[in-house]
Amino acid sequence: METQAELAAELIRRIETEGPIPVASYMEAANGFYYASHDPFGRQGDFITSPEISQMFGELIGIWAADLWARSAADAVHYVELGPGRGTLAADAMRAMAAQGRKPQVHMVETSPVLRKLQQARVPDAIWHEGIETLPTDLPLIIIANEFFDALPYHQYIKTYTGWRERMVGHDQDGFAPVPGTAPAEHMVPEHLHDAIAGSIYETSPAGLAIARALAGRIKRQGGALLVIDYGHEDYAAGDTLQALNAHAYADVFSNPGANDLTAHVDFTALARAGKVGGVRIEGPVSQSFFLGTLGIAARAAALSRHHPERTEEIAAAHRRLTDEEEMGTLFRAIAMVDSHWPRAAGFQVAV
Ligand code: SAH
């Protein structure tokens, strides 16, 4: 697919022949094009992520990984990142780990050729993977996923006056629009939602849960841990969280597929359940503010400011952005899935 217009034409052709397509198929095609075609991050881009806000984020994750590895019995591990963006988190984490004398082989799971190039510039000796299947099987895996699961395809279901239906995407002279599917979909929706009022929306990402389950299985067999940081909810009942971002503003999900970043809130309760099925210990979820606070972000911010007094204001602003309740502190959460033979991970209990 060369251009966004071609992607739209292809989606319209598909809808004209097959009928309306699931929201998940629309999201997969739109995000596939979006990430493959450009670098979405930073002040000039569509959105900004924690590692792009401050080096402190990646450094603390590097220290988290080095600490867990040091307290395990493993001589060597692989460091894996899912959807590493510009490679900033990995570069900051590797610097922090190297300072602790730890240099794991880095693996990047990335589908976008544009972002792979940027990652290559930051972490030249990494190994790239299209999916998790080809990750090595010889050593424990310490896997980091920041804002990865929110970008995977989500299915939506809507309660209509005649029962639950999958939410589909149709197309007419006014463009793309959501429409309820025709087949009953009660069996796809948790039982406690069956009697929800008309208009209620239920979301789930089987693709994300399958990845979590598979990685939990790897960790159980090989050792290691998966750290997921993302925005989302626990005890999700129902609600539409699918959103489109363009130039740091909300856009219409169903307009201009491939031009906006489409994401939905991560269901941390479902993620934890998937990990348990895979056979690992679950730690958290806790808020990003608690996680980074427990790992010592305040001390790191103070040290950075001492070394760079001219940047004191900027460092304080980044600290607030990452941890304040009304910024990324509360909506973002951290959860870890750890091999049951490994020690407890840092960041999930009050420090003693
Ligand atoms: N972790 C980064 C980037 C988050 S954006 C950060 O915090 O800045 C989402 C990332 O996931 C991008 O790198 C995108 O290209 C990648 N991605 C999206 N869908 C993917 C998929 N199905 N498989 C692998 N990578 C994917």
Side-chain angles (χ1 to χ4, degrees):
M1 210 80 60
E2 292 296 307
T3 65
Q4 199 208 322
E6 278 170 35
L7 169 71
E10 169 66 29
L11 284 169
I12 293 167
R13 254 196 314 278
R14 223 173 121 185
I15 291 167
E16 278 168 357
T17 43
E18 290 172 32
I21 58 171
V23 164
S25 308
Y26 174 85
M27 191 176 172
E28 187 172 16
N31 271 356
F33 179 85
Y34 175 80
Y35 283 109
S37 54
H38 58 294
D39 167 14
F41 307 101
R43 280 168 235 290
Q44 263 74 53
D46 291 329
F47 60 96
I48 190 158
T49 55
S50 298
E52 303 300 333
I53 289 171
S54 168
Q55 69 188 78
M56 295 188 285
F57 186 80
E59 289 169 346
L60 289 170
I61 287 178
I63 290 167
W64 177 89
D67 164 68
L68 185 61
W69 176 9
R71 290 185 290 111
S72 79
D75 292 329
V77 304
H78 294 289
Y79 172 95
V80 179
E81 235 186 275
L82 310 179
R86 282 179 172 168
T88 308
L89 196 170
D92 292 337
M94 283 314 112
R95 196 176 56 250
M97 287 182 87
Q100 312 280 323
R102 305 215 162 239
K103 292 192 174 130
Q105 172 65 54
V106 178
H107 297 263
M108 310 284 212
V109 178
E110 177 61 72
T111 42
S112 158
V114 174
L115 293 176
R116 268 189 191 206
K117 269 219 183 69
L118 294 175
Q119 293 157 18
Q120 241 147 8
R122 310 299 296 274
V123 189
D125 47 7
I127 297 171
W128 277 265
H129 303 262
E130 277 290 313
I132 58 168
E133 303 74 19
T134 53
L135 289 172
T137 52
D138 57 339
L139 292 173
L141 305 174
I142 295 187
I143 310 164
I144 312 295
N146 185 60
E147 289 209 45
F148 169 74
F149 285 93
D150 64 40
L152 296 180
Y154 276 74
H155 287 268
Q156 285 193 325
Y157 297 89
I158 183 159
K159 179 73 181 288
T160 69
Y161 288 108
T162 47
W164 283 95
R165 300 286 182 270
E166 178 151 16
R167 200 169 186 222
M168 315 292 276
V169 180
H171 186 268
D172 61 18
Q173 68 280 2
D174 296 326
F176 296 100
V179 289
T182 49
E186 252 71 21
H187 59 292
M188 301 306 292
V189 176
E191 210 167 317
H192 71 275
L193 292 178
H194 282 187
D195 296 331
I197 56 165
S200 300
I201 285 185
Y202 169 69
E203 297 173 342
T204 179
S205 177
L209 296 178
I211 289 175
R213 209 157 38 234
L215 291 177
R218 285 292 205 100
I219 289 165
K220 184 181 156 82
R221 284 196 297 279
Q222 294 171 231
L226 163 65
L227 173 66
V228 176
I229 302 180
D230 221 312
Y231 65 116
H233 36 232
E234 289 165 64
D235 304 321
Y236 169 71
D240 182 6
T241 72
L242 187 59
Q243 66 177 36
L245 272 180
N246 190 294
H248 301 271
Y250 290 111
D252 176 16
V253 169
F254 300 105
S255 296
N256 305 318
N260 312 318
D261 177 50
L262 300 184
T263 61
H265 284 205
V266 171
D267 181 347
F268 280 85
T269 308
L271 206 60
R273 207 177 304 124
K276 276 188 205 141
V277 170
V280 292
R281 186 177 72 240
I282 305 298
E283 302 197 22
V286 296
S287 66
Q288 171 158 301
S289 163
F290 182 92
F291 183 71
L292 297 179
T294 309
L295 294 180
I297 191 171
R300 184 66 191 122
L304 266 182
S305 297
R306 266 197 312 279
H307 286 294
H308 306 280
E310 74 291 353
R311 288 176 48 204
T312 300
E313 215 8 78
E314 169 209 325
I315 293 162
H319 182 189
R320 283 196 300 275
R321 182 99 190 259
L322 292 174
T323 58
D324 268 13
E325 206 169 300
E326 54 290 357
E327 304 260 358
M328 301 173 85
T330 310
L331 179 58
F332 280 73
R333 285 154 213 259
I335 192 170
M337 305 186 184
V338 188
D339 178 9
S340 57
H341 306 291
W342 272 44
R344 290 190 75 93
F348 297 96
Q349 306 110 66
V350 180
V352 283

